[in-house]
Amino acid sequence: MLKRSIRLLATILLVAVFAAPAIAAAEQSPQQIVQSIADQLGNAIQGRQAELYKNPDDVIKIIDAIVLPHFDMDYASLLVLGRHARETTPAQRVAFARAFYNALTRRYAEGLVAYTRGSVKVLPAQGPLDQRRTIVRTQVLLASGKNLSVDYAFRKTASGEWKAYDVIIEGISYITNYRNQVDAEIKKEGIDGLIKRLQTEGAGAIDQMKQQDSGH
């Protein structure tokens, strides 16, 4: 049950980090970004859960509109591919990055709808802000009443924007964990097989959410 909760939280927390307006990301510290995003996300979802659950495609539109511009998708996908990135063509890397992002957001669209205002507490920064990389630490209040420790990894791009690329839940890096899965799959099916599987998984997740709603 805890594993499922962590998996559902992954997208919720990724969205909470990545959803800041571009101007805010350029002017605010990563801690301020996370706090403002948590508030904005609560405002956007609160009171619309039933509507969004019935229309998961609308959830994806929300994510695409506010998440994608602030998610360092290319960098995150390279980290996930690891050593296999050197074995892929530029076209394959682009295809994998898009398939990876789509599968992630669509698989956890239901988790996003479950997001509630005030469930994320941003902890004070420890020490001076590094100029290139930093970690933002938070605590997430679960429905059970327990707190979950969640860290966000940020990097400053060449354009000077802070962008998030990883979520570390209870000390477990989402990127590292996913890279281990991808490594085994690429060895077995190849990069093209992995891309195809991710594309199918993303589409299937939305269909499943629609079927669950129709069964209520």
Side-chain angles (χ1 to χ4, degrees):
M1 185 67 180
L2 178 59
K3 182 178 180 181
R4 181 175 182 275
S5 296
I6 291 176
R7 288 173 59 193
L8 285 174
L9 274 166
T11 291
I12 298 174
L13 300 174
L14 284 168
V15 171
V17 171
F18 301 146
I23 186 171
E27 296 177 354
Q28 294 181 316
S29 71
Q31 278 78 14
Q32 290 172 326
I33 292 173
V34 174
Q35 183 62 67
S36 65
I37 295 339
D39 295 338
Q40 292 174 41
L41 186 60
N43 291 334
I45 300 298
Q46 198 74 17
R48 297 187 62 201
Q49 284 90 344
E51 170 197 345
L52 293 174
Y53 199 92
K54 292 179 180 178
N55 300 283
D57 290 327
D58 290 344
V59 182
I60 301 305
K61 291 178 182 178
I62 292 173
I63 297 174
D64 285 345
I66 64 177
V67 176
L68 187 55
H70 306 283
F71 175 23
D72 201 337
M73 182 173 66
D74 292 336
Y75 185 69
S77 63
L78 284 176
L79 292 179
V80 169
L81 286 174
R83 63 185 179 85
H84 296 290
R86 297 190 297 271
E87 305 164 1
T88 59
T89 66
Q92 286 176 321
R93 289 194 291 273
V94 170
F96 172 76
R98 171 45 83 178
F100 170 62
Y101 171 82
N102 285 343
L104 178 68
T105 55
R106 283 153 179 76
R107 186 177 184 182
Y108 300 118
E110 183 178 353
L112 172 61
V113 178
Y115 181 85
T116 57
R117 184 186 292 111
S119 60
V120 177
K121 179 181 179 182
V122 181
L123 303 180
Q126 298 180 350
L129 177 64
D130 187 276
Q131 294 303 306
R132 302 306 304 172
R133 295 176 186 269
T134 192
I135 298 291
V136 177
R137 293 177 170 80
T138 74
Q139 288 186 337
V140 177
L141 179 63
L142 302 178
S144 63
K146 295 182 179 180
N147 284 318
L148 195 67
S149 296
V150 180
D151 298 341
Y152 302 110
F154 276 82
R155 70 188 289 262
K156 184 172 283 189
T157 66
S159 62
E161 291 182 279
W162 282 107
K163 289 196 175 185
Y165 63 90
D166 194 11
V167 178
I168 303 97
I169 303 175
E170 291 293 321
I172 300 175
S173 162
Y174 188 83
I175 291 293
T176 300
N177 187 55
Y178 205 78
R179 181 168 59 219
N180 292 335
Q181 299 177 37
V182 163
D183 179 65
E185 189 165 353
I186 291 178
K187 289 178 180 178
K188 183 178 180 181
E189 304 291 342
I191 183 65
D192 291 330
L194 171 61
I195 292 170
K196 184 177 181 180
R197 196 267 296 170
L198 289 173
Q199 291 170 338
T200 302
E201 177 183 307
I206 290 298
D207 290 340
Q208 183 179 9
M209 189 172 173
K210 290 178 178 177
Q211 292 171 4
Q212 289 176 343
D213 178 70
S214 64
H216 288 175

